[in-house]
């Protein structure tokens, strides 16, 4: 996910640059072209807004992960939480080698 963030930021910057430069043109435009450029500008602004929301969401997830949360199906679980993943019991704990929280498998579920 960390490699996605720089690419998304670059895309956001590119879209913002296009958004700022799109209405600028040389010469007189016919009404159809002016409308098309305006529509493109609106689409770029909307796309930029969506990219910003995605980046904000990813940043919030990164902050939660740093706080010690494990993620499963889009939900954060605190350290010590126990769940069943693929018919195995797993506990949310910080890994000693990385310092990051993740699910640690304990063993198969006993019926």
């Amino acid at each position: 996910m960390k490699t996605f963030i720089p690419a998304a930021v670059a895309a956001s910057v590119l879209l913002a640059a296009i958004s700022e430069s799109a209405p600028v043109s040389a010469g007189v435009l016919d009404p159809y072209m002016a409308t098309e450029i305006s529509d493109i500008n609106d689409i770029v602004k909307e796309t930029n807004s969506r990219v910003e929301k995605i980046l904000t969401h990813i940043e919030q997830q990164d902050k939660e992960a740093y706080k010690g949360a494990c993620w499963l199906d889009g939900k954060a679980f605190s350290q010590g939480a126990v769940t069943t993943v693929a018919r195995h019991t797993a506990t949310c704990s910080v890994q000693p080698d990385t310092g990051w929280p993740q699910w640690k498998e304990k063993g198969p579920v006993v019926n």
Side-chain angles (χ1 to χ4, degrees):
M1 185 178 319
K2 296 287 182 189
T3 57
F4 170 77
I5 291 175
V9 170
S12 181
V13 170
L14 178 62
L15 289 173
I18 291 170
S19 175
E20 292 299 320
S21 65
V24 178
S25 62
V28 177
L29 294 177
D30 64 29
Y32 174 77
M33 288 301 294
T35 302
E36 288 297 307
I37 290 175
S38 177
D39 290 348
I40 291 170
N41 192 34
D42 291 343
I43 291 168
V44 169
K45 284 181 181 179
E46 176 67 24
T47 303
N48 193 31
S49 173
R50 289 181 184 185
V51 169
E52 287 176 13
K53 287 178 185 176
I54 290 169
L55 291 175
T56 300
H57 180 71
I58 290 171
E59 182 181 355
Q60 289 171 348
Q61 283 185 337
D62 282 350
K63 286 180 181 177
E64 284 298 318
Y66 186 73
K67 288 180 185 174
C70 292
W71 288 86
L72 181 64
D73 296 329
K75 296 178 184 174
F77 293 84
S78 60
Q79 291 183 33
V82 178
T83 190
T84 302
V85 179
R87 299 183 61 196
H88 286 80
T89 303
T91 303
C92 176
S93 61
V94 174
Q95 303 304 307
D97 53 337
T98 64
W100 286 90
Q102 80 181 56
W103 293 105
K104 184 175 183 181
E105 187 176 311
K106 290 212 168 216
V109 175
V110 179
N111 292 335

